[in-house]
Amino acid sequence: MNQHNLTRRNFLKISTSVAGGLMIGFNLPTTAEAAAGDATEINAWLTIDPDNIVSIVTPQTEMGQGAWTSIPMMVAEELDIPWESVRNVRADANRHVNNGDLYTTTSTGGSTTVSKRHPYMMQAGASARERLRVAASKRWNVPLDKVVAKQGILTAEHESSGKLQGTYGEFAADAAAVTLEAEPAIKAYGDWWLLGKEVKRLDVPAKTNGSAIYPIDVSVDGMVYAAVQACPVPEGKLVSYDFEAVKGMPGVIAAVELKQVKDIAAFTDLRSAVAIVAESWYQAKNALAVMPIVWDFGRGATISFDSQTAEALSLLATPGTLLKDEEGNIGKGMDKGVNHDAVPDLIASASKLVTGEVYSRPFEAHATMMPPCAVVDVKADRVDVWTFTQDIARSLSEVADQLGRDTKTVFLHQTYLGGGFGGGYNMDVHRQAAAISESIGRPVKVIRSREEDIAQDSQRPPVWGTYKAALGDDGLPIALVTHFVGEEKMPVFSQRGVANMPYLVPNRRHEYGAVKNHIPIGYHRAPGANSNGFIVEQMADELAQAGGWDPLDWRIKMTEGIEPWQRVLLAMKEKSGWTTDMGNGEGMGLAIVESHGTIAGCVANVSVSRRGQIYIDKLQYFINSGYVINPLGAHEQAESSAVWELGHAMFGGLQLREGRIVNTNFDSYTLMRMPDTPPVIEVNLEMSQDQWWGGLGEPTGPPTPPAVANAIFYATGTRIRTTPLSKAEL
Amino acid sequence: MAITLNINGQDHEIDVDPQMPLLWAIREKAGLTGTKFGCGIAQCGACTVIVDGNAVRSCNTPVATAVGKAIRTIEGVSANNDHPVQLAWQELTVPQCGYCQSGQIMSAVALLENSPSPSDNEIDKAMAGNICRCGTYPRIRAAIHRAAELTK
């Protein structure tokens, strides 16, 4: 996820380099076609047509998180145009890639579309507004400071001719030729007229009548279908296949070997696989299912979740590597008087020592409702691509790389995504489609079966963790050591949400390690924090109990003076009906985790039946995310990430045996369904401080499983240290 | 084999393997892409269509069994995106990624046609076969109640 800040100077260079140019956009979506007509491009971000309709470019992908609404909102705020006049237009990935990253980045993840990208998006709107004002000032021959731009209308009082008025559309062509001497500053909080209001997402209507187009819905003349099979043990290689055995089956056209270039494929490299191409996807899938294939499973064949767990337990039995940040200091966010050197002695000489047991979380898949899919049409002079991606520029470049083509000849068309959750980053489905289309000389649609999707996904990694703490006379910890073990490909995930826990333990030490792993790993909604929160926030409850503290009072005490956390915790105390003593098989539990610049607290009410069945009766969220630009979108995302992570915690868990994921469809990889969804999910955003930009696409996930597990403890006296919770013996 | 499918009141003559799942006939042969592929084993509900008034999973329904029956897909719910279920879905901003929502809407339409004012329990039962990874279940539940109100 490449991020870089756009300086004012940098921005000027970008916007003037395309000033006056016409919309080039080769984009299939209807909004883009409409905008390409008589509209004038003011800068790369927006066009205004003669009817004063403004089309705003969205470089980020829309996967339900609201990017195609929040980006236009940020631009429209500064441009000052009625929201009803705003349309969204998908960014032209080719233009972005071949014009020095025109839109800064097309990456869509990490809850950053608003939190990190607002400065230059708002700048694009402000710049266009100022150029419209300059254009009006020149045509009317009035001083610039007399020209007002508001709600799509330019007005000025002229000394002799009185009131002058015109639409933005009437001045768009003039404005496109204006070069500003200096870029205007963007508005500060408090001056907003649109941001902060509830706005319904623009993509909703197309998603209630089947008209929203996803990559799987794209058709090209002459297109055929492909089903693919990669080695069921990741990192393994194809040895041979017998196409003769299936080539007589109905509709079958060809078999194509997908050759892995590197010895061990990186995330987005083509992996060793074989595809069957047919007239229908159903025919391709049927033939592939019976074609004899020989694999070399490679080093992964002996690795299982049990073997990884054994390795993790052995690593946890001895000290791990001390966590340090890039500057060599102890982990980031740990500058609150932490002294890691003193920890071993304080633990060794503790009068009251708390020794945690081992907690763990398993692998989880993205299992987006749309299985990975891509349509690629390779022609002699150009390549067209529709694919499952959370970064259109990166995927365009990957296709160019796969085919050895110039990026100028590759055109990637943004569609809706049937879910993302991080799964659209480490994705090679468009490489597969490109290789197949090139090989057979026809456009092809690759659809992964659900089994192939889950078997080949870049999974959320597992984690194992434990801790020790020495308590002082007041029952509060004076020294704490955590030890978390992740896996070797992205061990950093085992530290997110751990090293930056806010609890003011005067002496802290965070250690880590990693187990051998061949399973591809990827970003998975609130990466790291999603699994680690489960451990850290049950640890917090255990430490509170050991010291004789109420778990909520303990957290309030341990974050004393940290205002953003205090607001959330005090709201939980005032409003949640907090008690640890419900009786009757019922319990309340809480947890609080910071991720993506947002602090999210969860209070869970559960009841456990005599037969050990867990019911989640209510979830309450208390959130401090800084600015909230669309409360409706904030609520939607808070509910969504809560249900997402509750599903994994209650039911999920991939099983890894003999090197392969064995539960690869929804009959065996069980997720949240309607009857399991808590009847009440409340989202409280009032404690958000208007002081910083936090993300909201992910943060309610991490506190949910530990709040539920803590509630189960108060309901039953049993502490559950791994997931899925529904499989625990209660 | 040449067969005739009646989809949304219109006959489609198509030439297919009679064992081909109805889903692929609707998507690839009739060209109606609102009905989605999710799992292929009738576990997720993304492929839900209404056949003779009943919600069915088209991904494992052989196309031959649908001949002579009235098939309704998301495209046939209304001409102007204004069926009470669609209006309720828009009012409560139910869809997020939206991929599962054709199937959710078809299950909801079938439910409301059989039970105009369903209880939460009836909703849970009727919608249990439709997975939504965006977790829009609370909004779906509320929107079904809202659609019931709009229908009165």
Side-chain angles (χ1 to χ4, degrees):
Chain A
M1 280 184 271
N2 181 24
Q3 295 168 9
H4 40 103
N5 295 324
L6 193 71
T7 62
R8 186 68 58 78
R9 201 164 143 252
N10 212 347
F11 181 83
L12 262 176
K13 200 172 68 191
I14 289 169
S15 53
T16 53
S17 69
V18 296
L22 283 171
M23 189 80 183
I24 304 164
F26 181 92
N27 260 344
L28 288 191
T30 50
T31 44
E33 284 173 351
D38 298 331
T40 303
E41 182 172 290
I42 305 293
N43 57 36
W45 289 84
L46 63 102
T47 61
I48 304 178
D49 78 10
D51 296 333
N52 227 20
I53 296 296
V54 177
S55 299
I56 296 172
V57 170
T58 48
Q60 271 61 40
T61 48
E62 177 60 69
M63 44 200 177
Q65 89 286 28
W68 290 1
T69 303
S70 56
I71 294 170
M73 280 178 76
M74 290 186 283
V75 178
E77 170 65 51
E78 287 287 351
L79 183 61
D80 211 323
I81 183 89
W83 181 241
E84 298 70 35
S85 305
V86 171
R87 308 285 180 269
N88 69 296
V89 185
R90 300 150 201 213
D92 179 342
N94 181 291
R95 185 180 176 192
H96 168 79
V97 169
N98 296 304
N99 287 279
D101 291 348
L102 185 60
Y103 298 105
T104 307
T105 177
T106 59
S107 175
T108 315
S111 289
T112 53
T113 296
V114 174
S115 65
K116 296 281 201 310
R117 320 233 184 279
H118 69 275
Y120 60 81
M121 290 175 178
M122 292 177 77
Q123 190 72 61
S127 177
R129 184 197 65 229
E130 284 311 292
R131 287 159 72 189
L132 287 161
R133 288 182 62 233
V134 170
S137 146
K138 283 185 180 161
R139 195 189 297 177
W140 290 338
N141 196 23
V142 295
L144 181 59
D145 61 6
K146 300 283 185 212
V147 180
V148 175
K150 200 169 175 57
Q151 293 298 292
I153 306 292
L154 292 152
T155 53
E157 291 290 338
H158 193 272
E159 285 162 16
S160 53
S161 46
K163 191 168 182 190
L164 298 162
Q165 183 169 312
T167 66
Y168 287 4
E170 292 167 37
F171 288 88
D174 288 7
V178 168
T179 304
L180 296 176
E181 282 171 26
E183 283 292 310
I186 61 170
K187 290 182 191 173
Y189 172 78
D191 296 335
W192 297 340
W193 64 274
L194 178 60
L195 298 186
K197 293 207 168 67
E198 290 215 334
V199 173
K200 285 188 179 176
R201 294 197 337 273
L202 297 173
D203 54 312
V204 168
K207 292 174 175 176
T208 62
N209 66 0
S211 63
I213 298 297
Y214 302 82
I216 200 169
D217 303 324
V218 171
S219 277
V220 179
D221 279 347
M223 184 181 81
V224 290
Y225 297 84
V228 291
Q229 162 98 61
C231 183
V233 179
E235 292 188 4
K237 297 246 182 78
L238 180 69
V239 175
S240 65
Y241 60 93
D242 183 9
F243 181 56
E244 291 298 315
V246 298
K247 77 176 198 187
M249 288 177 70
V252 170
I253 298 168
V256 178
E257 180 177 350
L258 299 170
K259 290 202 175 86
Q260 183 174 315
V261 177
K262 293 175 192 161
D263 190 33
I264 290 181
F267 295 133
T268 57
D269 294 340
L270 193 64
R271 296 182 207 156
S272 180
V274 62
I276 292 278
V277 183
E279 297 294 344
S280 159
W281 187 74
Y282 161 73
Q283 293 167 328
K285 178 178 173 283
N286 281 353
L288 184 61
V290 297
M291 182 167 76
I293 305 173
V294 179
W295 302 102
D296 169 7
F297 293 136
R299 69 156 181 155
T302 58
I303 299 178
S304 65
F305 189 66
D306 286 347
S307 75
Q308 289 182 326
T309 299
E311 192 183 349
L313 293 178
S314 120
L315 286 166
L316 288 173
T318 56
T321 308
L322 180 64
L323 181 75
K324 294 177 177 179
D325 73 10
E326 306 84 47
E327 286 85 40
N329 298 314
I330 196 156
K332 266 200 161 138
M334 294 177 48
D335 52 354
K336 305 177 187 86
V338 172
N339 176 2
H340 59 86
D341 290 330
V343 171
D345 283 349
L346 286 165
I347 295 281
S349 62
S351 58
K352 179 150 193 193
L353 181 69
V354 184
T355 303
E357 292 184 34
V358 174
Y359 286 82
S360 66
R361 294 291 302 269
F363 286 101
E364 303 284 356
H366 296 95
T368 50
M369 289 311 296
M370 184 189 77
C373 170
V375 175
V376 175
D377 185 5
V378 179
K379 290 196 168 71
D381 58 342
R382 66 177 284 147
V383 180
D384 289 279
V385 182
W386 295 259
T387 189
F388 174 35
T389 177
Q390 286 177 240
D391 187 344
I392 53 173
R394 172 165 151 181
S395 298
L396 184 154
S397 301
E398 285 162 4
V399 170
D401 175 69
Q402 180 65 36
L403 300 169
R405 302 281 184 104
D406 187 331
T407 54
K408 290 193 178 70
T409 66
V410 181
F411 298 87
L412 188 147
H413 313 287
Q414 234 191 106
T415 67
Y416 288 109
L417 290 193
F421 318 115
Y425 277 110
N426 301 331
M427 178 52 62
D428 67 335
V429 70
H430 36 271
R431 277 192 192 264
Q432 292 179 328
I436 296 166
S437 176
E438 182 183 42
S439 166
I440 62 170
R442 293 174 72 173
V444 69
K445 182 188 289 185
V446 171
I447 304 171
R448 289 197 188 157
S449 66
R450 181 59 67 189
E451 291 81 3
E452 182 71 359
D453 163 41
I454 293 184
Q456 301 301 332
D457 192 14
S458 291
Q459 318 288 5
R460 161 172 157 180
V463 68
W464 298 262
T466 190
Y467 68 92
K468 277 183 190 163
L471 304 191
D473 294 339
D474 55 2
L476 296 171
I478 52 169
L480 170 68
V481 55
T482 67
H483 191 171
F484 279 57
V485 171
E487 54 70 65
E488 65 187 9
K489 290 175 193 258
M490 291 179 94
V492 63
F493 281 162
S494 73
Q495 292 308 318
R496 290 201 190 175
V498 182
N500 61 347
M501 72 173 88
Y503 303 126
L504 298 168
V505 184
N507 304 282
R508 265 165 59 176
R509 187 178 173 92
H510 300 290
E511 298 174 1
Y512 69 97
V515 300
K516 282 195 290 294
N517 177 48
H518 65 297
I519 298 291
I521 294 303
Y523 304 107
H524 194 277
R525 208 171 193 176
N530 49 16
S531 290
N532 303 336
F534 177 74
I535 305 175
V536 169
E537 283 296 282
Q538 290 204 75
M539 174 194 82
D541 261 40
E542 289 189 315
L543 291 177
Q545 284 148 22
W549 282 75
D550 170 87
L552 180 50
D553 290 338
W554 186 92
R555 286 173 175 84
I556 292 169
K557 177 72 181 167
M558 294 299 293
T559 57
E560 217 165 27
I562 311 177
E563 161 70 5
W565 288 75
Q566 291 279 304
R567 288 169 77 105
V568 176
L569 289 162
L570 293 173
M572 291 164 92
K573 192 169 170 84
E574 283 160 26
K575 296 178 184 166
S576 70
W578 173 251
T579 173
T580 55
D581 188 19
M582 292 184 82
N584 260 342
E586 293 179 41
M588 281 183 95
L590 71 94
I592 179 168
V593 179
E594 177 182 352
S595 67
H596 304 93
T598 291
I599 299 155
C602 174
V603 177
N605 284 50
V606 308
S607 45
V608 179
S609 74
R610 287 187 188 165
R611 287 158 62 187
Q613 180 102 15
I614 301 163
Y615 297 91
I616 320 274
D617 301 319
K618 181 157 80 168
L619 295 173
Q620 299 175 77
Y621 291 89
F622 298 86
I623 299 168
N624 186 351
S625 75
Y627 303 115
V628 177
I629 69 156
N630 183 355
L632 178 60
H635 273 86
E636 290 167 4
Q637 285 307 297
E639 291 164 15
S640 172
S641 34
V643 173
W644 163 265
E645 186 50 15
L646 183 62
H648 302 125
M650 286 294 293
F651 308 108
L654 295 174
Q655 295 151 30
L656 172 64
R657 288 188 212 130
E658 294 178 344
R660 65 189 79 192
I661 303 295
V662 297
N663 49 338
T664 57
N665 206 329
F666 295 129
D667 53 344
S668 49
Y669 185 48
T670 318
L671 296 164
M672 184 65 80
R673 291 173 184 269
M674 175 78 87
D676 313 310
T677 304
V680 182
I681 300 179
E682 289 175 6
V683 176
N684 301 285
L685 289 159
E686 310 85 69
M687 57 290 311
S688 285
Q689 291 169 278
D690 297 317
Q691 291 175 16
W692 76 86
W693 295 79
L696 268 166
E698 315 177 55
T700 55
T704 302
V708 169
N710 285 333
I712 292 169
F713 175 82
Y714 288 110
T716 64
T718 301
R719 187 158 288 288
I720 309 177
R721 293 185 172 85
T722 191
T723 62
L725 300 172
S726 65
K727 292 203 176 138
E729 302 252 334
L730 289 172
Chain B
M1 192 177 88
I3 60 167
T4 302
L5 287 182
N6 186 280
I7 307 175
N8 304 325
Q10 211 180 329
D11 281 345
H12 294 257
E13 310 270 339
I14 56 173
D15 188 16
V16 286
D17 169 359
Q19 286 307 308
M20 180 192 237
L22 177 60
L23 169 68
W24 300 108
I26 290 170
R27 287 183 56 86
E28 294 180 3
K29 306 294 177 188
L32 297 169
T33 57
T35 307
K36 304 302 189 201
F37 167 64
C39 69
I41 57 168
Q43 287 292 311
C44 79
C47 66
T48 305
V49 297
I50 298 177
V51 179
D52 280 354
N54 298 311
V56 304
R57 313 302 175 208
S58 64
C59 74
N60 73 342
T61 302
V63 65
T65 67
V67 173
K69 295 182 179 167
I71 302 160
R72 277 158 75 201
T73 69
I74 184 72
E75 290 88 351
V77 169
S78 73
N80 300 307
N81 208 358
D82 58 359
H83 182 283
V85 170
Q86 292 170 316
L87 293 176
W89 249 241
Q90 291 156 22
E91 184 183 322
L92 297 176
T93 61
V94 171
Q96 290 193 17
C97 91
Y99 191 81
C100 74
Q101 296 295 344
S102 296
Q104 304 278 5
I105 288 171
M106 297 316 284
S107 289
V109 167
L111 166 65
L112 289 166
E113 285 174 359
N114 294 316
S115 174
S117 295
S119 66
D120 277 345
N121 273 342
E122 282 179 273
I123 292 173
D124 279 357
K125 210 173 154 193
M127 304 303 291
N130 290 78
I131 297 178
C132 173
R133 283 293 267 157
C134 299
T136 63
Y137 303 117
R139 282 172 193 266
I140 291 174
R141 203 181 269 148
I144 290 174
H145 288 304
R146 178 69 183 136
E149 270 174 37
L150 290 172
T151 310
K152 274 175 197 163

